[in-house]
Each structure stands twice: as structure tokens, then as C-alpha cells.
Amino acid sequence: MLAVMALLAVSCIKDEPVCGTCEDNPDGKGILLSFSAGTDTRSNLYSSEVDYRDVKAVCLYVFRGTDANAECILSEDVDWQGDISQTYWISTDLSAGSYTFLAIGTDDNAGSVYGLTADYRGTLGDCMARLAEGKEKADMATAQFFAGYVTRTVAEEEDVVDVEVTLTRKVAGVLAYLKNIPCWVDFRSGKATVTDLRISLGSSQNTQMALWNVSAGNAVYGSEPLESGDKVLFEVDLTADSYTPDAEGRYYTKKGIKTDELQTVDNSLLRGAFLLPLAESKESTLKLELLGFYTTGDGTEYQNVVVKTYTIQNSEGKQIFSIDENKLYCIGKKLSDASTDGDKPADLSGNILQVNVIKWNDIEVDNSFPTVIGPARIESDYNQKVYIFDAPETEFPVYLQASSPVKEWRLKVCYYNETNKASFSGVEVGAYEAETPQENWIHFAVTDAEGKPTGEYESEITDPNGDGRILTVVLNDFAVQRTLEGEGSGKYYIVTEDMVEKLKKDYRTAYIEIYTSGTVEPYRLLVRQYNALTIYAGATKDVPNGFRAAARLDYGCHFDKETGAMVRTDTAAVGWGYWSSIPINITGDLTETDYWVGAVNTINAYNRYKKGSLGGENYVESILQKLRKEVIEIAADGTYTSDENKIWCLPAYHEMWGVADYINPNRKTGEACQDLFNMKVGDKYWCSTIKDNDINESLYIPAGTTNYLQEADRDDKLYARPIRQFYTN
């Protein structure tokens, strides 16, 4: 058995690899690794500079044999200390024979992203960087790794065999440094408003790459494209990223980044991403696309449409080319992170862009600043440009994506008001917000160490560790009474179409903002929530002013998260429940349930259920239970007091009549109100009212008609609209 010494000479920026015999071998048998200065690695792509000090781990795989079937007999973490001058000893005992020595260096992301760890056991042919389970495109963008291998035959008579391995970068990089980003572009027969910018590839990104090449010297490309087929390398939501129009409304503006770690010129955009090498396809290799919205002549609005595509060609005028390992593809010029000297962002006021292809080994800039490739971000499952939440309290998850490298972040809410107005430039705010701005209506649910909710809420969170996490956002109920006009009959209606249009835009607006340490501007998520619709249903002792608040959607309906349009599902029409039950076994009333206040009926039924009263068990799965929802008003300090008597509920007869009467086509605004209320003439709506001691029937209202006092079997499938009272008014 012989000891083997491996000398790893890592590829320099300017110098040739150095090979020699180490003189300070520890006693025993093993492998001694050393590194030459100039390793060009970094896990942050914001310029063409490089720095070996961002290497976080190095491991060595030793295979017995030199072909694809060679088995890995040793995989070892070399305990990298971040010092290029150190040598690393790995104790092992190798018998005579042929071996392949494969070394891998990773940044602080690549090890977990691609499964490049020191516990590999497999063959040389199957030794690959593979996208790990749970990792995705965003993780690949911040991960790079290096690899190199050499084969050696260990002879019986040799005591020590010098093995020289050169590490080379296995990923490629795409860097975009841009200026004059247009706020609008000519599109079809008009103009389109630009909202997003993205860089796309000719084919979907690869998710794995061989670390050993049977044909040495040939280009190695990745394989196994993303299952989603996603070709987008990265996308920037300009509003969320704090870009605002200039004074003329022509180009987007934003102050340049001016930190110790990164400097950019004003009104520019800088993004970069690593990716696995990509063979050329039949489509243009790189595309820069502007996305936005436009309105046709008939008033139809289209969202998230590609409104302009820039031609990107290389220095040879070709649009189709491969993306090779160890090369940087630059759109615009950015030499150094910490300086704007020599900066030349690509100009988007034209139509053609050139990509400059640079071998990383040829880059002569020497700069050691670490860089934030991207600040912490907030990811949601809805299209913030068009989606608006309904009035009842709601909870939804957001994913807080850690910055790269990971840094402390702070999460807070910025509400629209006179002070913050500038932050909402380019955002259409609610029609009533200028006169009655809303604040303290967004909170974050607190969880314990196991991720379980504690019942507490916060309006601001700081994480010194900068970890990514899933967070639950809670929106309070939005039910503020609006002024309606009387018609002399003691009732109040929406009497003009201008008022209908104003009520369609009655929502409140805020940003959830996340600030990354070292950056000035936050990443933002736009949140908007509709106010409930004010309706008049008659004054009673329980509701002296006669007004109620109606949700904008029926039970079982929702706004589409991509388009914002109302969606009526197959489960929207439901039975009433309480089959073969008389009022006394539902609400405790002798012959009839309440005609005026639905909350009375629901509260009585709920209390009978809690007490275990006769028939109370039928409350479960009834329409009364399905629509009952406590009014949520979390205070500014995060406290919340439950009140079982303040609820959303199924309307009583006169309340549902009050809602449905607004869309009556005989009224001046009846037709316009159908869109406002998301309701059609003739649709049947359950009431919580039962008359004449009925056993199997309950009252319903046919919307927009005068034929109101109707009964239906409780197993019929009808619609239901939640309402509540203006408890705070």
C-alpha cells in the first residue's frame, strides 16, 4: 500500500497553474492538497470581478479506475480554511492501480443547491451536480462551483505520487446592467405601460451537469431541463423594486446603490445570475423582454403581456450561440462592484443589444468586496398588479426569500397616506383613500419555534439571521360605511353611474416592504383590499341606522389571483342544511326566525349548537355555519379580542332583499350595479329566515326582481352572500 500526495493547483486569473512536490508531508499515508493564489470564485454576480475568498468548501473524490464505471472509494471534506496558502492533509491508504482524483470547490450555496457534499458514493460516470430536492431556479442563480480531475497510475515501487488537479468554474453567468428603461412603449395601435423586465433563454435551464467528461477537452453542457419548462432566467417587477417614472413619465428612475459593497449609477438596473452551461437551441439564446398592460379601443385591458422584445446578439452578430462554462455573458459593462468607474449600462431606448462574452480567466479586475446579488424578496401567489382582496378578514402566505449572501432583513408595512404618497407613484390607489386613508390593517402572525401560530400578531419583524421563511399575513376586515343618497322612500340607493364607478374602486392600499441590511430601497409587495359594499336594509332596534355591509363575493366564489376577475366555482351553490327542522330546533324561535337581522338567527343557532340543545347538531355543515365568520379587528399593537357576536353571516329576508334590490334593472344604476355586486338578475339567494314553522323550506330572494317572498327546499342549491353590520359606526 502506498501513500499518495495530490497537489491541487487552482486556475489563476493570470498565472499558469503551479505544480510541485510538497516538502511538509505529515507522517503516515495520505493525500496532501495545496492551492495556488488566484482562485476566481464568488457566489454573487454583480460585476465581472472575482474573489477566491468566497469559496466556502472544498472536497476531494477518489475513484478506483478511470472510466465511467470507476467506483468512488473516498470522499472527503478537506476542511477548507479560506487561506489560499494552506495545505490540507487527508489520511488514506491506496493500493497500486489507476485512480481518478476529482476535486470540487463550492461557494456558500452550491453545496446544498447541487448536492455537492463530501459523502458521495457512486461511479465516476454518475458523478454530477444535480439540483437538489426542494431547490429551484432562484437557488441556481446564486450558486457556483468549480471542479477538476486527473487520472494517475500508482505503481508498487512509488512511495509518493504527485497529483496536480486544476479547478475550473463549471457554471456560466449572465449579467445585465441597463439604463433608460421605458415607462411605456408603442404597442400595436397605441401605447403599453411597462411594469416588468425579464431576461429569458432560448431553452429551459438545465438542472444537472456531469463533473467528468469522457471526451476530455470537449465542451460540457447541462442536461435535464426544468420540469416546468421555464425559460425565464430572472424577472424584475419594477414597481416592487422601487422604480418610479421620471418627471416626463418616459423612463424609470431610481437612485443608484451607494454602499461599501456595491456602487451603481443612478437610474440603472443591475441583475445577474449563474446557470449551468446551455447548448445552443433553435431560438435566440438570450432575450430581454418588457412586460406590461395595454387597453384596446373597446376598453378591454390586457395584463402581463410582452410588449417589447430586444434583439440580443454577440460580437459576431449572431443571436443563437451556446452558453459555455467559465464564461460571463454581459449586457452592459460593469467592471467592479465597489466603483462605477468604467460603467456603461446598456441603453434600452433602442432595439438591439450586444452581449459581450468574457472568459472569467481573462478578467484582470482584482476586488475582494462581497456583493448582494439580490436583496431579500417577498414572493406571493397572486398578481399584485390586478388582484384585490375581498372585504372580510383574510389570511394568506408569503415566502420571504433570503438575500444572497444572507443578511439581516426588516419587514414592515407602508400604508398609503399623504406622507407616503411618493412611494405609491404609478399605483392606482382607492377612490376614497385621499379623504379617508386606512392604516394598521395588515399584521403578521407570530409563530413559535415549531412554526405553530401563537395567536399573537406583529406589524414589523426583524431577523438578524436573515433566514428565508413562510409567513402568514392577516388583513383586518374592511367595512367602512359610505354615504348613499335617499330617494324619499326612507331607503338609500346608488343613484348615479359615477358613484358606481367610484365604489368599484373603493379599496385600500399598502406595501409590505422588506429591507435588506446594506441596501437603501426595499423590495415591495403591493396589497389592496376592497371595502364592503354599503347597503340599506331597514332600521331595527339591533341596527338603528338601517345600513349593513355586504361582501363583494358570494360564498364559494373568489377573485382569480392572476387576472383579478371574479370566479364562480361549482361549489358556490349550496343547500341550506337543517333538513326537516322547525325553527325552534334551529334558532329557538317558536314559529319564524328573524326577518330583519341575520346575525340574530346565526348567533341563536350557534349558541344552541354549543349548548348541545335539541337539533343543535344540525348546525354543522349548514349554510349558517358556512357563512359565519367572526369580524377580525387586530389593533395597532397586535392585540385582538374575540367577540362571538360580531360576525359575517347569512342575511335575513329584508337584508338579502336590500342587497339584491340594487341590481334591479328598473333602477337607473341597476345594470351597472350587477358588475359592482358580482350578481346577476334572477340568481337565487338564500336567506336565514324561515316562516310559518316550515320543516323543509327556507326563504330565498331572486336577485333584481320584485318577486321576493319565495321559499325553496333546503336541499336545493342556491347562492349565499355574506353580510355584517357596521359595528364601529
Side-chain angles (χ1 to χ4, degrees), residues 4-12 15-22 31-36 60-61 99-104 147-154 160-168:
V4 179
M5 184 279 294
L7 174 66
L8 270 68
V10 184
S11 176
C12 302
D15 301 327
E16 292 299 318
V18 178
C19 179
T21 302
C22 298
I31 300 171
L32 188 64
L33 307 181
S34 65
F35 300 84
S36 64
L60 177 69
Y61 299 167
Y99 293 88
T100 301
F101 298 85
L102 172 63
I104 302 170
Y149 67 91
V150 67
T151 59
R152 281 290 183 269
T153 299
V154 178
V160 175
V161 177
D162 293 346
V163 177
E164 177 186 339
V165 178
T166 301
L167 289 177
T168 58

Side-chain angles (χ1 to χ4, degrees), residues 53 172 212 239 312 321 353 424 481 484 502 517 526 540 608 621 707:
R53 277 163 285 191
W212 174 79
T239 301
I312 299 179
F321 45 87
L353 300 173
F424 293 85
Q481 184 178 327
L484 302 184
K502 186 174 183 179
S517 177
L526 185 65
T540 71
R608 287 179 57 80
E621 293 300 317
N707 189 22

Side-chain angles (χ1 to χ4, degrees), residues 71-91:
E71 292 286 341
C72 181
I73 61 170
L74 173 69
S75 58
E76 191 83 21
D77 188 325
V78 304
D79 192 25
W80 170 255
Q81 299 297 312
D83 187 343
I84 201 70
S85 65
Q86 281 188 289
T87 57
Y88 301 88
W89 174 257
I90 301 173
S91 295

Side-chain angles (χ1 to χ4, degrees), residues 631-680:
V631 169
I632 301 296
E633 291 291 344
I634 301 171
D637 62 1
T639 58
Y640 164 65
T641 303
S642 175
D643 188 337
E644 294 181 347
N645 294 321
K646 293 183 177 181
I647 58 172
W648 291 88
C649 63
L650 182 68
Y653 171 73
H654 286 289
E655 290 174 325
M656 191 61 235
W657 185 350
V659 175
D661 198 37
Y662 282 87
I663 72 164
N664 190 321
N666 293 324
R667 300 197 178 281
K668 182 179 179 180
T669 59
E671 185 174 347
C673 280
Q674 291 185 48
D675 289 335
L676 175 63
F677 281 79
N678 295 299
M679 186 179 288
K680 294 181 180 179

Side-chain angles (χ1 to χ4, degrees), residues 313-319:
Q313 59 190 29
N314 62 16
S315 59
E316 299 175 354
K318 295 180 179 179
Q319 297 179 38

Side-chain angles (χ1 to χ4, degrees), residues 688-713:
S688 63
T689 304
I690 301 171
K691 71 170 188 174
D692 299 334
N693 218 14
D694 279 332
I695 295 177
N696 299 314
E697 295 181 329
S698 293
L699 291 179
Y700 74 89
I701 298 290
T705 73
T706 56
N707 189 22
Y708 285 155
L709 199 59
Q710 301 292 313
E711 291 183 283
D713 287 340

Side-chain angles (χ1 to χ4, degrees), residues 294-452:
Y294 73 98
T295 304
T296 61
D298 62 2
T300 304
E301 186 174 286
Y302 292 87
Q303 299 277 347
N304 204 35
V305 177
V306 175
V307 295
K308 182 170 183 176
T309 301
Y310 292 82
T311 298
I312 299 179
Q313 59 190 29
N314 62 16
S315 59
E316 299 175 354
K318 295 180 179 179
Q319 297 179 38
I320 297 177
F321 45 87
S322 60
I323 293 182
D324 300 325
E325 65 181 60
N326 201 33
K327 289 183 180 179
L328 179 63
Y329 295 75
C330 300
I331 306 167
K333 184 179 180 181
K334 178 69 176 160
L335 293 179
S336 174
D337 290 352
S339 171
T340 57
D341 293 345
D343 281 12
K344 190 176 181 181
D347 192 339
L348 296 192
S349 61
N351 298 302
I352 299 176
L353 300 173
Q354 180 169 314
V355 59
N356 297 310
V357 184
I358 308 171
K359 290 183 179 180
W360 247 299
N361 300 60
D362 295 337
I363 297 169
E364 298 185 357
V365 174
D366 183 15
N367 192 310
S368 61
F369 286 103
T371 302
V372 177
I373 187 172
R377 295 168 59 89
I378 311 169
E379 303 291 345
S380 68
D381 65 351
Y382 66 88
N383 181 353
Q384 59 181 309
K385 298 178 181 63
V386 297
Y387 186 76
I388 305 177
F389 291 91
D390 197 11
E393 173 271 342
T394 189
E395 299 180 1
F396 63 94
V398 294
Y399 175 62
L400 304 184
Q401 181 177 313
S403 63
S404 177
V406 175
K407 292 193 173 187
E408 176 180 298
W409 52 253
R410 179 169 62 95
L411 190 73
K412 62 184 289 290
V413 182
C414 175
Y415 296 101
Y416 176 82
N417 54 36
E418 190 64 29
T419 302
N420 298 329
K421 183 183 294 185
S423 297
F424 293 85
S425 176
V427 176
E428 185 177 10
V429 299
Y432 290 83
E433 286 194 280
E435 53 194 80
T436 55
Q438 298 285 311
E439 297 187 4
N440 301 317
W441 50 275
I442 299 179
H443 295 84
F444 311 119
V446 178
T447 56
D448 59 20
E450 297 179 354
K452 297 178 181 178

Side-chain angles (χ1 to χ4, degrees), residues 185-198:
V185 294
D186 292 323
F187 186 70
R188 298 186 177 175
S189 58
K191 287 181 169 55
T193 299
V194 176
T195 58
D196 294 68
L197 179 151
R198 72 185 180 198

